[in-house]
């Protein structure tokens, strides 16, 4: 039952290829990975070239022409990986499908049935590619294709008078283990690692990002904007942190109990997500404190967002009535995101300023917004 549940969970999980791309690029690995994939593509293509000079390879004129076409395609993909940017998910799937079909076709066309079955081992490389870069659904399609290819080639060996059923079965079992079973096991392991990594970035009660999750999202944002910082900063020049602390939350815990208090925190988190919008990062910052980060057109837009989340907390429908004291701190988008190495320290400074403004709002009686004086001169505390 546990395995079945794990398989269902893995199947329904979405592979964030954009996040993977940003992760690879942020660590300076993109060119190296593209180069590695390009080299492996050339190696597989070279094997097809060598097969043309072997009596075990394709022999008929039409068959050899098909192999030549796959060779040309392989060279084209190798060049594309080496000189162009990281491909989109759709382009990656196209490359993957081409390689899957090309390897199988060359194996089918080998005049030696045993050579063709042995060549199917190259499909293992594609299983690894799908596991790490494309996700379980593409991997399942590959595994089905791989099993079909191995089965057909094994039947050819079994029917070939030069060989026997035993060698066909032995080769088929070996290839099935490494080409079908192993990729599935690796995919499950990768999924468990990803889930565990995601949990380390998430608050277990509310499901919102925690502080590490916030920093991770901002790192990705900084990496994504690195080549377009000027345009992004021109569109949304103000980076803002909105810090919220629930007013008199201890009284809710004392009167209604901690279970009700936890329910209030969950509902407030949901309200903040709806009010802040899909582009914002909403974080539970600890205890009854929440944080919203987003990029805005100007300081007034950030102030309107701060008022909106304040009102969203007060309008939380069920459970005890609750309000929040809100602090708003702003910085230049370029200042915050241009230096990835100092991003954590710069964010900490911005959050500290938001905290200071929030405590000023709390001293004013709560359920109001206070703006950090260092970033928005002329925008005073506001109700």
């Amino acid at each position: 039952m546990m395995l079945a549940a794990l398989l269902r969970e893995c199947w329904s999980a979405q592979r964030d290829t954009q996040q993977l791309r940003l992760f690879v690029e942020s660590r300076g690995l993109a060119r190296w990975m593209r180069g590695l994939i390009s080299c492996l593509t050339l190696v597989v293509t070279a094997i097809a070239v060598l097969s043309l000079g072997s009596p075990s390879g394709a022999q008929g004129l039409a068959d050899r022409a098909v192999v030549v076409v796959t060779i040309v395609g392989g060279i084209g993909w190798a060049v594309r990986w080496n000189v162009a940017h990281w491909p989109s998910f759709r382009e990656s799937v196209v490359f993957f499908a081409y390689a899957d079909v090309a390897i199988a076709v060359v194996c089918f066309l080998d005049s030696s049935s045993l050579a063709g079955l042995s060549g199917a081992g190259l499909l293992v490389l594609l299983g690894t590619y799908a596991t790490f870069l494309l996700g379980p659904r593409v991997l399942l399609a590959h595994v089905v294709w791989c099993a079909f290819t191995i089965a057909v080639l094994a039947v050819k060996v079994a029917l070939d008078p030069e060989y026997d059923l035993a060698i066909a079965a032995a080769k088929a079992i070996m290839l099935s283990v490494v080409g079908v079973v192993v990729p599935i096991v690796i995919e499950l392991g990768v999924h468990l690692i990803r889930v565990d990594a995601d949990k380390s970035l998430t608050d277990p009660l509310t499901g919102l990002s925690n502080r590490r999750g916030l920093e991770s999202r901002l790192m990705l944002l900084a990496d994504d904007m690195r080549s377009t910082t000027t345009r992004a900063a021109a569109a949304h020049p103000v980076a803002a942190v909105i810090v919220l602390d629930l007013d008199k939350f201890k009284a809710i815990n004392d009167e209604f109990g901690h279970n009700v208090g936890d329910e209030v925190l969950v509902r407030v988190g949901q309200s903040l997500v709806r009010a802040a919008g899909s582009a914002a990062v909403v974080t539970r910052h600890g205890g009854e404190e929440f944080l919203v980060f987003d990029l805005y057109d100007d300081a007034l837009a950030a102030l309107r967002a701060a008022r909106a989340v304040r009102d969203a907390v007060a309008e939380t429908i069920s459970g005890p009535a609750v309000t929040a004291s809100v602090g708003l701190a702003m910085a230049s988008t370029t200042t915050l995101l241009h230096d990835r190495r100092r991003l954590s320290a710069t964010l900490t400074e911005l959050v500290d300023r938001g905290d200071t403004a929030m405590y000023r709002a709390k001293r004013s009686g709560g359920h109001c917004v206070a703006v950090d004086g260092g970033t928005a001169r002329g925008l005073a505390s506001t109700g």
Side-chain angles (χ1 to χ4, degrees), residues 50-121:
L50 292 173
S51 74
L52 290 176
S54 169
S56 297
Q59 296 302 309
L61 181 61
D63 290 351
R64 293 172 70 85
V66 171
V67 174
V68 169
V69 170
T70 65
I71 290 170
V72 172
I75 294 173
W77 277 110
V79 172
R80 183 260 171 269
W81 272 104
N82 194 49
V83 303
H85 55 78
W86 191 271
S88 66
F89 178 79
R90 178 173 295 182
E91 189 178 4
S92 290
V93 171
V94 171
F95 163 72
F96 181 80
Y98 173 84
D100 241 355
V101 172
I103 289 174
V105 166
V106 173
C107 291
F108 289 145
L109 294 178
D110 280 343
S111 60
S112 167
S113 58
L114 187 61
L117 181 57
S118 300

